[in-house]
Amino acid sequence: MKSSLHPARVVALIFAGVILLGTALLMLPAASSNGLSAPLVTALFTAVSAVCVTGLVVVDTGTYWTALGQVVILALFQLGGFGMMTVATLMGLLVNRSFRLRTKMIAQVESRSLGVGDVTSVAKLVLVVTLVVEAAVALLLTLRFHLTYDVDWPGAAWSGLFHAVSAFNNAGFSIHADSLMGFATDGFVLTPVMIAIIIGGIGFPVLQDLRTRFTDSRHWSLHTKLTLSGTAILLLGGFVSFVFFEWANPRTLGPMALVDKLLSAIFMSVSARTAGFNALDIGALTHESWALHYLLMFIGGGSAGTAGGVKIGTMAILVLMVVAEVRGRPDCEVFGRRITTASQRQAITVMVLGSAMVVLGTLVILRETDFPTDQVIFEVISAFGTVGLSTGITAALPESSQLMLSLLMYTGRVGTITLAVSLALGAHRMPYRYPEEHPIVG
């Protein structure tokens, strides 16, 4: 009997294939400004970072790469954020508007929609939201760059488009050497970018739910309620914490006016959860702000969006499990619903595997470099969470450490569970169950 690949394996393999294709394109002499072929590790790291919508770089995007190279990078993070399997679903929809069951199953792994029948509607929503948001933000940024900063129309249009697509896909790539630090006090630039980041990172199942039941919050799915409430808590908590930690820092918020401080603080809170843009010098932040970044970057955004991390839903379920255990409740409950045991086990699995990858990456890089531990931890979590923020050491890391970061980015984008399933032989139903026993915990 002919065997076929598990859908999760197809997802992992396609992402890997696009990375290899991107690497080959970036190694073309025409892609580098010096006219020479880019080194393999440089091209590979950039391709992984782009496809995995991370934003970590080892060379300056705006000066090292030519227009061709920048177009390739934009295409890679557009594909990575859009979801390779969502693209496949859309292409099949446009061709014959019908799908084989297996095609839907493959697309479901990437879109993480709630049912096989939802794939078509999710794919349509992905396309519409992507085009509308990116076009609107690109237009606003183009006008601002040209009218306020005297950038010529072609340059303003390219910069506007590049940053709009990068923001919506939570990619964090910028063609400016200092990312968005030059616009730290410009709300007309930072606000559209923040809106694109939030919409892209909240997750398409949530957007689908809001589209169909926007005014009827009582009937929103539990996933939508957890994601929206978790997003609000993280954004507000991050904003308040950054204001507290950086208010008097002479290298960040200290010299700014009140309104500019608040703008930069909220942008930091939004970007830290996986977008990767920085309006302030990350290396100049206090150690408390770095620690806060660890948490926000590791959690990330919503499932099935362009954000990375272990996801808000995962963290919410774990917190609710702790609350239920402390209160002595047999079930994990919230918003009048009981969370299934399978979801709880998935959340634990994602958290354990994610934590293990962060620890492994930290140990490997610490062994190979002399950089401070807190900076290494920052880079590792930023890579695994596909965030892209850096304290400034990425380019100075040895190639072996850069390859380790590449592995972390790939794992973080494909997803710990998807990658694990793709490597496993497959689930097996056991014909028996062992007797139950309760070992001592704690």
Side-chain angles (χ1 to χ4, degrees):
M1 181 177 180
K2 184 179 180 180
S3 61
S4 56
L5 288 175
H6 189 282
R9 294 184 182 180
V10 177
V11 172
L13 289 174
I14 288 185
F15 268 94
V18 174
I19 288 171
L20 294 178
L21 175 61
T23 301
L25 292 175
L26 290 175
M27 290 184 69
L28 294 174
S32 302
S33 57
N34 59 11
L36 302 176
S37 179
L40 174 60
V41 174
T42 298
L44 175 62
F45 187 94
T46 304
V48 172
S49 184
V51 174
C52 298
V53 291
T54 304
L56 286 175
V57 295
V58 292
V59 293
D60 179 43
T61 305
T63 58
Y64 186 88
W65 304 107
T66 62
L68 173 62
Q70 293 176 24
V71 169
V72 170
I73 292 172
L74 184 148
L76 291 177
F77 60 66
Q78 178 73 89
L79 288 173
F82 195 71
M84 292 306 301
M85 291 301 96
T86 306
V87 172
T89 304
L90 283 172
M91 294 302 290
L93 178 64
L94 294 174
V95 171
N96 56 18
R97 297 184 178 274
S98 64
F99 300 94
R100 294 169 52 231
L101 178 60
R102 179 168 180 79
T103 304
K104 289 187 176 183
M105 290 176 62
I106 294 174
Q108 186 182 358
V109 173
E110 171 59 21
S111 67
R112 292 177 175 85
S113 54
L114 299 179
V116 171
D118 296 331
V119 173
T120 299
S121 59
V122 169
K124 290 179 180 178
L125 182 62
V126 170
L127 178 61
V128 172
V129 171
T130 298
L131 295 179
V132 170
V133 174
E134 290 181 355
V137 174
L139 176 61
L140 292 174
L141 294 180
T142 298
L143 293 174
R144 186 64 174 174
F145 292 150
H146 176 72
L147 299 177
T148 304
Y149 297 95
D150 296 324
V151 180
D152 60 82
W153 279 115
W158 173 242
S159 182
L161 176 63
F162 191 94
H163 289 94
V165 177
S166 183
F168 178 76
N169 290 288
N170 281 225
F173 276 87
S174 174
I175 55 177
H176 304 304
D178 59 356
S179 189
L180 298 181
M181 289 176 60
F183 312 99
T185 60
D186 191 342
F188 290 97
V189 171
L190 297 188
T191 300
V193 170
M194 285 191 287
I195 293 174
I197 290 170
I198 293 173
I199 294 176
I202 207 170
F204 295 116
V206 174
L207 296 176
Q208 173 83 320
D209 210 6
L210 294 177
R211 182 179 70 89
T212 57
R213 293 187 286 264
F214 182 76
T215 59
D216 189 11
S217 60
R218 294 177 301 173
H219 293 89
W220 287 351
S221 68
L222 180 58
H223 170 74
T224 296
K225 293 178 180 179
L226 288 177
T227 301
L228 292 180
S229 57
T231 297
I233 291 172
L234 291 175
L235 288 178
L236 179 59
F239 166 70
V240 172
S241 299
F242 282 129
V243 168
F244 180 75
F245 294 145
E246 298 297 327
W247 188 266
N249 187 345
R251 301 174 63 191
T252 55
L253 298 184
M256 294 183 177
L258 175 61
V259 175
D260 295 334
K261 287 183 177 183
L262 299 180
L263 174 65
S264 294
I266 187 62
F267 186 82
M268 288 172 62
S269 181
V270 172
S271 184
R273 288 180 43 245
T274 159
F277 290 111
N278 61 287
L280 299 174
D281 183 3
I282 299 299
L285 297 178
T286 62
H287 290 280
E288 294 87 347
S289 292
W290 280 2
L292 179 60
H293 271 85
Y294 299 163
L295 176 64
L296 295 178
M297 293 190 301
F298 188 72
I299 295 176
S303 299
T306 56
V310 296
K311 303 299 189 296
I312 293 173
T314 300
M315 183 59 66
I317 291 174
L318 292 174
V319 171
L320 292 171
M321 289 172 61
V322 172
V323 171
E325 191 66 27
V326 171
R327 297 176 64 184
R329 296 289 187 88
D331 295 321
C332 183
E333 303 167 340
V334 66
F335 296 119
R337 293 291 185 270
R338 177 168 51 88
I339 298 176
T340 64
T341 302
S343 295
Q344 296 177 45
R345 292 176 60 182
Q346 279 188 336
I348 294 174
T349 302
V350 170
M351 178 60 69
V352 171
L353 291 179
S355 300
M357 289 300 298
V358 169
V359 171
L360 174 62
T362 301
L363 292 176
V364 169
I365 296 178
L366 282 176
R367 181 178 176 84
E368 298 176 343
T369 68
D370 295 323
F371 289 110
T373 303
D374 52 0
Q375 285 187 293
V376 172
I377 293 175
F378 194 103
E379 302 294 313
V380 167
I381 298 179
S382 180
F384 174 76
T386 66
V387 180
L389 293 174
S390 173
T391 59
I393 68 173
T394 305
L397 293 173
E399 290 187 348
S400 56
S401 294
Q402 292 175 359
L403 291 175
M404 184 69 226
L405 291 181
S406 299
L407 176 61
L408 289 168
M409 289 188 285
Y410 178 78
T411 304
R413 177 63 184 107
V414 174
T416 49
I417 285 186
T418 300
L419 184 60
V421 172
S422 71
L423 298 176
L425 296 177
H428 299 282
R429 289 185 175 274
M430 301 299 293
Y432 58 86
R433 299 181 70 185
Y434 289 108
E436 186 178 60
E437 187 171 343
H438 187 74
I440 299 175
V441 177

